Amino acid sequence: MLEKRVRELLDAAFEERPDLFLIDLDITSGNVIKVVIDGDHDVKVADCIFVSRAVEHQLDREEQDFSLEVTSAGVGKSLKHHRQFVKNIGRKLEVVDLDKNKETGTLELADEKGIKIVWKAREPKPVGKGKITVDKEWSLEYESIKQAKVIITFN
């Protein structure tokens, strides 16, 4: 009952602010409501406050005691929603698929179905000794991604 009401309130908040979206909602047995949001742009404290108020002000503490925590998706957390991938086009990702294949490359494409990362690799020459640099790419559908994280680089 509480989860259904919270989801309705979140849907209404995201209708009002379509640049924000839900990443995760967890309600524990003690009615601790944990909401993780992200946005098409950077998520600010004011955005978390907006979502928090949209939920908290519509629930009656007299009817049901609860605690509410609204946070943004953190740096280093695995990307879950396709909109997170879209906003990170051009950034370096570490991607692991369901078969545990792992690659790191630049996110070149992200659409409704999946992603494509590209990178350069050194491989043995087809003929003769030595190595050459080759362009590599990997396309995956979202369902086959076990984990994808943005790699933070400091220049």
Side-chain angles (χ1 to χ4, degrees):
M1 174 81 178
L2 179 62
E3 182 173 350
K4 182 181 178 203
R5 180 67 179 133
V6 170
R7 283 193 184 277
E8 289 170 354
L9 294 169
L10 289 170
D11 288 345
F14 296 136
E15 224 174 90
E16 189 176 330
R17 288 285 309 275
D19 59 313
L20 301 174
F21 50 93
L22 181 67
I23 297 299
D24 198 23
L25 169 63
D26 184 41
I27 302 176
T28 66
S29 58
N31 288 341
V32 176
I33 305 166
K34 293 184 180 185
V35 178
V36 181
I37 63 169
D38 205 341
D40 295 325
H41 309 288
D42 294 335
V43 175
K44 297 176 177 40
V45 172
D47 299 325
C48 293
I49 292 170
F50 167 79
V51 172
S52 177
R53 287 182 178 159
V55 173
E56 188 172 20
H57 290 176
Q58 300 302 317
L59 295 176
D60 186 359
R61 287 190 189 275
E62 298 296 322
E63 188 178 300
Q64 199 164 35
D65 194 30
F66 65 91
S67 108
L68 175 64
E69 177 183 316
V70 178
T71 61
S72 63
V75 172
K77 297 284 186 188
S78 188
L79 304 179
K80 295 182 177 183
H81 195 284
H82 88 272
R83 285 170 68 179
Q84 289 180 294
F85 286 93
V86 170
K87 86 175 197 177
N88 283 294
I89 289 175
R91 296 185 80 183
K92 190 173 273 196
L93 293 187
E94 178 184 270
V95 180
V96 179
D97 71 3
L98 295 175
D99 295 326
K100 297 186 177 137
N101 298 309
K102 178 172 143 181
E103 292 293 345
T104 300
T106 301
L107 181 60
E108 185 175 85
L109 175 103
D111 59 21
E112 294 287 328
K113 295 178 183 169
I115 66 167
K116 178 168 81 172
I117 62 170
V118 297
W119 69 97
K120 295 191 182 299
R122 298 283 292 161
E123 293 186 351
K125 287 183 178 178
V127 178
K129 294 181 179 181
K131 292 188 175 191
I132 58 171
T133 301
V134 295
D135 292 325
K136 304 284 248 172
E137 69 177 50
W138 191 21
S139 295
L140 296 105
E141 291 185 359
Y142 292 116
E143 295 82 37
S144 62
I145 298 173
K146 180 178 182 179
Q147 178 177 309
K149 290 184 178 182
V150 174
I151 303 297
I152 305 298
T153 55
F154 300 96
N155 297 332

